[in-house]
């Protein structure tokens, strides 16, 4: 028997202590991800978890926090232009990038300075 990868279960992004309210505003209200309960044994660590399609995004608390400005998750979005308009209307700066052939994409920073990519693959 041999092992095999099944996919990504979740992505974790770090945030500073006591930032759960900002995480809920950005990931829950602006990005419209659904908050999901954390397991009881992990509640004391702080942070917030969200559902994103078939995957989860975990916002974890890091005492000596430094934002991830290069490493980042990339979320595939249907109707990317509408989503970019939604983000701009909510005060989120959208930075377009056309370097990935076959895709439209842009980057944003979450309230903690973490880089996040959103993309939509063009039909071939």
């Amino acid at each position: 028997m041999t092992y095999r990868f099944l996919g990504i279960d979740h992505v974790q992004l770090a945030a500073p202590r006591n930032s759960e309210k900002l995480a809920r505003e950005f990931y829950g209200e602006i990005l419209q991800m659904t908050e999901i309960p954390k397991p009881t044994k992990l509640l004391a660590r702080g942070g917030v978890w969200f559902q994103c399609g078939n995957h989860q995004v975990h916002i974890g608390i890091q005492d000596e926090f430094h934002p991830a400005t290069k490493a980042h998750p990339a979320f595939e979005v249907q109707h990317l232009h509408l989503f970019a308009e939604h983000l701009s209307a909510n005060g989120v700066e959208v930075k377009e990038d056309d370097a990935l052939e076959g895709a439209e994409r842009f980057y944003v920073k979450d309230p903690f300075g973490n880089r996040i990519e959103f993309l939509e693959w063009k039909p071939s």
Side-chain angles (χ1 to χ4, degrees):
M1 182 182 306
T2 148
Y3 68 87
R4 65 185 177 111
F5 289 99
L6 300 177
I8 294 175
D9 178 76
H10 70 274
V11 170
Q12 179 157 318
L13 293 166
R17 187 151 304 283
N18 299 318
S19 60
E20 288 84 356
K21 181 176 185 270
L22 275 177
R24 286 184 174 99
E25 289 171 358
F26 183 75
Y27 290 92
E29 294 174 24
I30 295 175
L31 298 188
Q32 300 179 353
M33 293 181 182
T34 302
E35 184 174 347
I36 56 176
K38 290 182 65 172
T40 305
K41 289 184 176 183
L42 298 177
L43 287 174
R45 295 181 183 179
V48 189
W49 289 11
F50 297 94
Q51 192 69 41
C52 176
N54 294 325
H55 307 290
Q56 295 179 10
V57 176
H58 297 180
I59 308 303
I61 301 303
Q62 185 173 340
D63 286 328
E64 294 184 26
F65 171 73
H66 300 282
T69 58
K70 181 66 176 173
H72 63 276
F75 299 105
E76 187 173 5
V77 177
Q78 188 176 32
H79 306 297
L80 187 69
H81 289 299
L82 293 175
F83 184 58
E85 290 172 10
H86 167 76
L87 292 175
S88 294
N90 281 277
V92 178
E93 183 181 350
V94 172
K95 183 179 178 186
E96 293 191 24
D97 184 295
D98 63 0
L100 181 59
E101 188 174 329
E104 293 181 29
R105 70 180 182 164
F106 61 81
Y107 296 94
V108 303
K109 290 184 181 176
D110 74 3
F112 321 113
N114 293 311
R115 181 182 190 189
I116 303 172
E117 178 180 339
F118 297 98
L119 64 91
E120 183 171 25
W121 292 100
K122 299 175 190 174
S124 32

